[in-house]
Amino acid sequence: MVGIPGVGKTTLLSKIVDHLKDHDRSVSVVSFGTLMFDVAKENGLSDRDELRKLPVSRQQELQKMAAEKIAEYTEEVVIIDTHAFISSPEGYYPGLPEHVLKIIKPTNFISVSAKPEEIYSRRMSDETRLRDKITLANVKKELDAQSGMISACAVITGSPVKHILNREGKVDEAADKIINAIGL
Ligand code: ATP
Ligand code: MG
């Protein structure tokens, strides 16, 4: 599952996990960023929001190590909470580059989006994170970049992409669409 920050991935995933557990499915949700940060911590990094400021080459090494950990998960359903791209000083770089896709072999992609105005206000009200400068124009640019990046993932892997709109106050509706689309 990919989506730009504040689109509602983590919120949707908690609903999906509840549904799967109610149906006695074994499920694991992996935050790609958290796994990368765990690996980075072992190498001296202390702030999660510093991760995207490391040289891209360093981030690529950490991505690979995180992907190798994900490939070891054995649950029936493994959902990865991640981003189609990461904003770095060098520009947008892919969250799921070909070398990572070859390791984790995703069967489905879910691309979550929401109205730019809603994403903007969700980000502004989240004080737990150190965000980059937020503007509405930038949110729109990021949504465009997301759709290009995830289409490339589909072409590389041959796996389908489901686009989901997470409407304000309609988390359950969006979660149901995902569950039905993949047949979870
Ligand atoms: P990040 O990439 O930064 O982890 P995220 O995509 O996981 O972001 P969430 O943390 O799930 O985003 O959601 C961001 C905020 O938006 C939260 O405060 C959440 O409660 C709220 N939110 C998510 N979906 C909706 C919705 N459909 N309607 C209203 N608020 C929502
Ligand atoms: Mg999240």
Side-chain angles (χ1 to χ4, degrees):
M1 176 179 288
V2 301
I4 63 174
V7 83
K9 300 177 294 298
T10 307
T11 310
L12 282 169
L13 280 174
S14 78
K15 299 271 176 194
I16 293 169
V17 166
D18 287 349
H19 167 92
L20 287 166
K21 291 206 166 142
D22 284 350
H23 290 78
D24 295 322
R25 309 282 297 275
S26 75
V27 55
S28 192
V29 172
V30 194
S31 161
F32 204 106
T34 303
L35 258 188
M36 269 180 73
F37 183 45
D38 288 345
V39 180
K41 272 195 292 197
E42 290 161 18
N43 294 277
L45 204 82
S46 59
D47 179 357
R48 189 188 170 112
D49 288 304
E50 287 298 312
L51 201 54
R52 66 178 182 279
K53 293 172 187 155
L54 292 174
V56 168
S57 60
R58 184 72 194 115
Q59 294 191 51
Q60 284 163 340
E61 287 168 22
L62 295 168
Q63 261 185 324
K64 181 166 184 281
M65 290 189 245
E68 281 161 354
K69 289 194 177 190
I70 293 171
E72 288 169 13
Y73 282 69
T74 53
E75 286 78 1
E76 196 183 342
V77 183
V78 179
I79 308 175
I80 305 169
D81 177 343
T82 190
H83 297 107
F85 66 89
I86 293 88
S87 238
S88 85
E90 291 173 60
Y92 295 154
Y93 84 93
L96 296 168
E98 187 169 13
H99 73 97
V100 164
L101 290 169
K102 290 225 160 90
I103 297 170
I104 58 181
K105 303 188 181 76
T107 54
N108 296 80
F109 296 100
I110 306 286
S111 179
V112 183
S113 66
K115 280 192 185 155
E117 294 76 10
E118 291 171 3
I119 297 171
Y120 176 84
S121 67
R122 289 174 199 167
R123 282 189 197 177
M124 292 301 277
S125 56
D126 179 359
E127 283 162 5
T128 66
R129 298 292 303 276
L130 181 64
R131 306 273 189 199
D132 293 327
K133 187 169 145 271
I134 307 167
T135 65
L136 194 56
N138 219 18
V139 170
K140 289 179 179 164
K141 207 165 91 183
E142 288 179 15
L143 286 171
D144 280 347
Q146 173 175 326
S147 102
M149 291 278 186
I150 202 68
S151 297
C153 291
V155 172
I156 288 169
T157 56
S159 297
V161 185
K162 183 75 182 172
H163 291 270
I164 295 288
L165 185 67
N166 179 24
R167 294 166 60 210
E168 194 70 12
K170 305 273 182 191
V171 180
D172 286 321
E173 199 176 277
D176 284 347
K177 279 188 184 150
I178 295 169
I179 290 162
N180 291 332
I182 310 189
L184 288 173

